[in-house]
Amino acid sequence: MRVGDVLPPLEIEITRTLIVAGAIASRDYQDVHHDAELARQKGSPDIFMNILTTNGLVGRYITDRFGPRSVLRRVAIRLGAPNYPGDTMVLTGTVEAVEGDTATVRVVGANGIGRHVTGTVTVTVPGSDGAEGAEAAAGAEGIAGAEGAAVHESAGSRP
């Protein structure tokens, strides 16, 4: 991995099921994440994704790209445009810094109405240094689980 490397994009279809399942899995029972009528009464055109689901998808994006040995060290994200059912979010990333086997990646997730999420992820790939990490990232396939703890820092979200 090298500064300036651009990660392949990941397209995620935003379904009603993904939004509701993510809210339930993260124990976020706010009605705006599962009840379309109550969401509309509160001024939203539909239900929308919560920050914890977004955080998980950002983590998945990084671990998919860097492989099963990757460890998320820090995830700092900010929400913008909501993810509504029927849209597609495209996650992209650029390596901003590399120190040994640890990289900081700038991540952006955009949907049809704008940027849904922006932030940085610090990831360690044990045993990789510099170009070796890029080869590991390029060869990673499938969903890989993060072995470390990820922390999300939200600077606020808006429906």
Side-chain angles (χ1 to χ4, degrees):
M1 69 191 118
R2 296 184 189 133
V3 172
D5 283 353
V6 176
L7 305 182
L10 173 64
E11 291 188 13
I12 299 171
E13 183 181 344
I14 307 302
T15 65
R16 193 166 298 281
T17 300
L18 175 62
I19 293 170
V20 173
I24 290 169
S26 60
R27 297 183 179 182
D28 183 347
Y29 303 116
Q30 289 188 34
D31 51 25
V32 294
H33 302 308
H34 65 84
D35 188 318
E37 183 55 36
L38 289 175
R40 282 190 282 279
Q41 287 176 16
K42 293 182 177 183
S44 179
D46 205 339
I47 63 172
F48 54 92
M49 185 175 285
N50 71 356
I51 192 170
L52 296 172
T53 303
T54 299
N55 192 66
L57 293 171
V58 167
R60 169 192 162 195
Y61 174 62
I62 296 299
T63 58
D64 278 2
R65 269 65 192 155
F66 286 90
R69 295 182 308 140
S70 60
V71 179
L72 299 178
R73 299 295 181 187
R74 183 170 187 267
V75 177
I77 61 173
R78 175 183 289 253
L79 292 184
N83 266 342
Y84 293 118
D87 207 342
T88 299
M89 178 175 64
V90 179
L91 289 165
T92 57
T94 304
V95 177
E96 289 190 328
V98 176
E99 187 174 323
D101 60 0
T102 300
T104 300
V105 181
R106 164 69 60 200
V107 176
V108 174
N111 59 34
I113 56 176
R115 287 184 172 185
H116 169 68
V117 62
T118 56
T120 57
V121 178
T122 303
V123 59
T124 298
V125 183
S128 70
D129 283 319
E132 293 174 25
E135 292 169 14
E141 293 183 76
I143 297 175
E147 298 170 31
V151 176
H152 78 269
E153 299 173 357
S154 74
S157 62
R158 50 189 165 106

